[in-house]
Amino acid sequence: MGLATQAQTFGKAGTFEAGEKTFLLNGKPFVVRAGEIHFPRIPKEYWEHRIQMCKAMGMNTICIYLFWNFHEQQPDQFDFTGQKDVAEFVKLVQKNGMYCIVRPGPYACAEWDMGG
C-alpha cells in the first residue's frame, strides 16, 4: 500500500511506501532516523543550529509537535508568526536536506506539560 506524498524537501513529487520489510522512499529502502525538536522552546535564531546538530548526529528526519495552546492562546485566534512560525522551521529542515514529521495535535501528552 503506497502513500503518495510531496517530497517537499527538494520540491519534487515523490513516494513513500511501506515495503515488505522496510520503508521505500521513491522506490528505494529508507530508514527514518529521527530526532525530536520542540522548536517553541528554542530561540528562533538557534533553530538552524539545532537542526544541523541533529544532522551531524546522523539524523535524516526531524519530528515536531504543534502545541495548540502555544498557537491558539485565544479561541479561534491562531498565531504562526515569529517564534511560532512552524513553516519557517520546516523550511530550515528542508534547507538542510532533511525530512520533517509534523504532529499537529492538539494532544501532545507530557512533552508540553512536563517539560519534554
Side-chain angles (χ1 to χ4, degrees):
M1 116 175 138
L3 171 65
T5 147
Q6 288 288 41
Q8 294 175 347
T9 51
F10 306 110
K12 300 177 188 171
T15 61
F16 185 79
E17 302 174 271
E20 196 168 311
K21 293 187 179 184
T22 186
F23 290 122
L24 300 172
L25 179 63
N26 299 321
K28 297 179 183 174
F30 182 75
V31 175
V32 177
R33 293 184 312 271
E36 177 91 20
I37 293 182
H38 297 165
F39 70 92
R41 293 193 166 103
I42 301 167
K44 188 174 180 179
E45 58 269 18
Y46 298 125
W47 286 355
E48 187 165 24
H49 181 251
R50 297 303 191 277
I51 292 164
Q52 291 168 344
M53 289 183 357
C54 285
K55 187 170 184 171
M57 290 188 297
M59 303 299 115
N60 59 20
T61 304
I62 300 290
C63 295
I64 62 172
Y65 272 111
L66 297 185
F67 299 114
W68 282 107
N69 60 332
F70 183 63
H71 294 286
E72 185 188 10
Q73 294 183 3
Q74 300 296 322
D76 298 322
Q77 294 180 17
F78 299 96
D79 184 1
F80 292 97
T81 63
Q83 182 70 32
K84 300 174 183 183
D85 191 345
V86 65
E88 183 174 340
F89 183 84
V90 172
K91 287 176 185 173
L92 287 172
V93 171
Q94 293 171 335
K95 174 185 167 194
N96 283 278
M98 300 178 75
Y99 296 94
C100 189
I101 297 173
V102 179
R103 291 180 276 178
Y107 183 72
C109 198
E111 284 83 352
W112 185 258
D113 294 336
M114 301 300 182

